[in-house]
């Protein structure tokens, strides 16, 4: 009726598989193995705003006599977004560029797809 319980380092008649799931190699969320990702030489970066777009936004805003904050309020967006576009740190979004075009009343160069 009762099984004998022994406390020791080796299981009696149990499996020798170690706990913890997973496959043999470690993989990242992109599906690449960690070693392959480390060996990757290509620089992976986001697209940023072109210099001609940055300058066009600055010139258009200056021609209207608006500050970055005023332009952002006119467009119902955060002033940081306008700042990122003018400093070249933003990831270009054609919908936002179209909004800025309408507010400034001038054509701006569009982001490449």
């Amino acid at each position: 009726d009762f099984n004998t319980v022994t406390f020791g380092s080796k299981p009696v008649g149990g499996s020798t598989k170690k706990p913890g799931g997973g496959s043999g190699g470690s993989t990242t969320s992109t599906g690449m193995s960690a070693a392959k990702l480390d060996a990757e030489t290509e620089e992976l970066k986001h697209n940023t705003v072109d210099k001609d777009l940055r300058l066009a936004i600055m010139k258009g805003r200056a021609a209207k006599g608006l500050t970055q904050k005023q332009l952002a309020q006119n467009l119902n967006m955060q002033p940081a977004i306008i700042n990122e576009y003018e400093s070249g740190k933003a990831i270009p979004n054609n919908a936002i560029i179209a909004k800025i075009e309408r507010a400034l009343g001038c054509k701006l160069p569009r982001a490449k797809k």
Side-chain angles (χ1 to χ4, degrees):
D1 228 32
F2 293 99
N3 291 333
T4 308
V5 177
T6 57
F7 296 99
S9 60
K10 287 186 179 180
V12 179
S15 69
T16 57
K17 186 178 182 211
K18 293 185 175 142
S23 59
S26 62
T27 57
T28 62
S29 61
T30 58
M32 296 176 79
S33 70
K36 188 175 178 183
L37 192 61
D38 286 340
E40 183 69 39
T41 57
E42 181 184 337
E43 287 288 323
L44 302 172
K45 344 188 268 193
H46 293 292
N47 292 338
T48 54
V49 176
D50 289 336
K51 187 172 183 177
D52 50 342
L53 175 60
R54 293 171 34 201
L55 294 174
I57 293 172
M58 281 189 248
K59 286 178 183 174
R61 187 175 53 78
K64 286 269 187 177
L66 298 171
T67 63
Q68 287 182 354
K69 186 175 181 180
Q70 289 169 333
L71 177 60
Q73 285 175 340
N74 290 350
L75 298 171
N76 293 324
M77 53 177 68
Q78 296 292 322
I81 295 173
I82 303 298
N83 188 335
E84 287 173 0
Y85 270 84
E86 288 190 7
S87 64
K89 295 176 186 169
I91 298 170
N93 180 346
N94 283 331
I96 293 175
I97 294 170
K99 276 184 171 180
I100 296 171
E101 272 183 353
R102 283 193 298 272
L104 297 178
C106 64
K107 286 296 264 182
L108 298 173
R110 294 300 175 105
K112 294 163 188 70
K113 291 184 180 180

